Amino acid sequence: MPDIVRIAPSVLSADLGRLAEQLDQLERGGADWIHVDVMDGRFVPNLTFGALLIGALRRMTDLPLDVHLMVVEPERYIEPFLEAGASVFTFHPEATVHVQRHLAAVREVGMRAGLALNPGTPLAAAEEVVDDLDLLLIMSVNPGYGGQSYLPSATAKIQRARAMLDRHESGALLEVDGGVSPDTIAAARSAGADTFVAGSAIFSAPDPAARIGELRDRCKAGVSV
Ligand code: DX5
Ligand code: ZN
C-alpha cells in the first residue's frame, strides 16, 4: 500500500461566496488536491459545477484539481475540462458505454484517468480496464450530495480493490469518497485507500485547516479491519 496519503477537500461543501478565502485555508492546512464534484441532474439528481468553476479554481490555486464527474456521457467534457485546468478526470462506468476508449482519451490528452464505482457496482467493472487506470474511486455513499454517512460495506470493497490493484501490479491510486471523517478515515486507510475526499468533515469543522491535519493523523493511527 502506498505510503503517501492524499487529502482532497471537496468544494461541494465550501462557502462559494468565500471561495478564495476557503482555498487559502485548505492550502494552509496542507490539502493535496482540490476535489470538484460535477453533477448534471441526470446521473444524479443534483446539479452543480462545470468548466467555469474549474477554470476559476485553476486561477485561484496551484493544487491539482481532482474532478469527479457524476454526469451521463462524461466523454463530452474531456476537452472542455482539460482546457479549464482539470488534473484528474474521474467518471462513472455506469454513465457511459465505451469506458476503455474514454479512459484512454483522458490519458492521451494528459490528464490522469479515474474510474468511480457506485456502492452497487461490482469491482469487476474496474478490473476489466485496470491497465487504463491512474485512479480508482470507491464511492462510500450513493453519489449526489455531501454530508451523507459512510456506508460500512465500503471498507471491505476497498480491501478487495486494493488486492485487485496489487494483483495486477497497478500503480493506480485508490480513492474513497463519501462520509470520510475523523471517525471513518482510519478504516478506509487500513483497508488500503491512499486518497481521501472529504467535504462536510472539513468545511463544517471550526478550523478546516486543522481538520485536514486531523484526518491525516487518523490515517497514521490506523485500525484493524
Ligand atoms: C458525493 C460527492 C462527494 C461529496 C462528499 O456525491 O461525490 O465528493 O462532496 O461529501 P462528504 O465528505 O460530505 O460526504
Ligand atoms: Zn466526489
Side-chain angles (χ1 to χ4, degrees):
M1 165 161 78
D3 290 338
I4 297 172
V5 163
R6 288 181 183 74
I7 307 287
S10 167
V11 293
L12 186 62
S13 296
D15 176 353
L16 295 180
R18 300 190 297 127
L19 193 51
E21 186 191 323
Q22 299 225 302
L23 282 172
D24 283 347
Q25 283 182 319
L26 300 178
E27 289 189 1
R28 210 161 14 84
D32 298 284
W33 289 355
I34 301 298
H35 186 82
V36 188
D37 288 304
V38 177
M39 305 185 188
D40 67 351
R42 292 181 65 203
F43 182 69
V44 292
N46 206 1
L47 187 63
T48 60
F49 318 126
L52 273 179
L53 185 81
I54 296 168
L57 288 165
R58 182 70 297 149
R59 293 188 292 277
M60 285 189 263
T61 178
D62 291 331
L63 292 177
L65 300 178
D66 176 34
V67 181
H68 175 196
L69 290 91
M70 287 154 275
V71 308
V72 298
E73 299 175 358
E75 62 272 18
R76 296 170 54 203
Y77 302 98
I78 295 174
E79 284 298 329
F81 287 8
L82 170 75
E83 279 168 29
S87 316
V88 185
F89 185 103
T90 297
F91 62 92
H92 285 253
E94 309 92 342
T96 189
V97 178
H98 303 291
V99 172
Q100 192 280 334
R101 173 185 292 161
H102 305 322
L103 288 168
V106 169
R107 274 186 168 174
E108 181 70 32
V109 296
M111 294 185 288
R112 292 206 216 197
L115 199 65
L117 303 183
N118 279 342
T121 301
L123 206 51
E127 186 160 16
E128 296 295 343
V129 290
V130 66
D131 293 338
D132 300 287
L133 296 182
D134 296 310
L135 179 145
L136 173 57
L137 170 53
I138 302 296
M139 291 304 303
S140 40
V141 298
N142 288 289
Y145 301 96
Q148 303 183 79
S149 298
Y150 180 92
L151 290 170
S153 60
T155 303
K157 192 172 185 183
I158 294 165
Q159 264 179 325
R160 287 187 287 116
R162 178 78 271 152
M164 186 276 283
L165 293 174
D166 290 350
R167 200 163 55 242
H168 289 277
E169 298 181 355
S170 167
L173 300 174
L174 184 53
E175 185 174 49
V176 57
D177 183 6
V180 171
S181 73
D183 293 334
T184 58
I185 196 169
R189 172 61 178 161
S190 299
D194 48 57
T195 303
F196 302 87
V197 177
S200 52
I202 290 176
F203 289 100
S204 67
D207 182 347
R211 178 54 61 86
I212 294 171
E214 190 186 343
L215 289 169
R216 210 182 286 284
D217 288 348
R218 294 286 171 110
C219 282
K220 286 186 204 124
V223 292
S224 50
V225 290

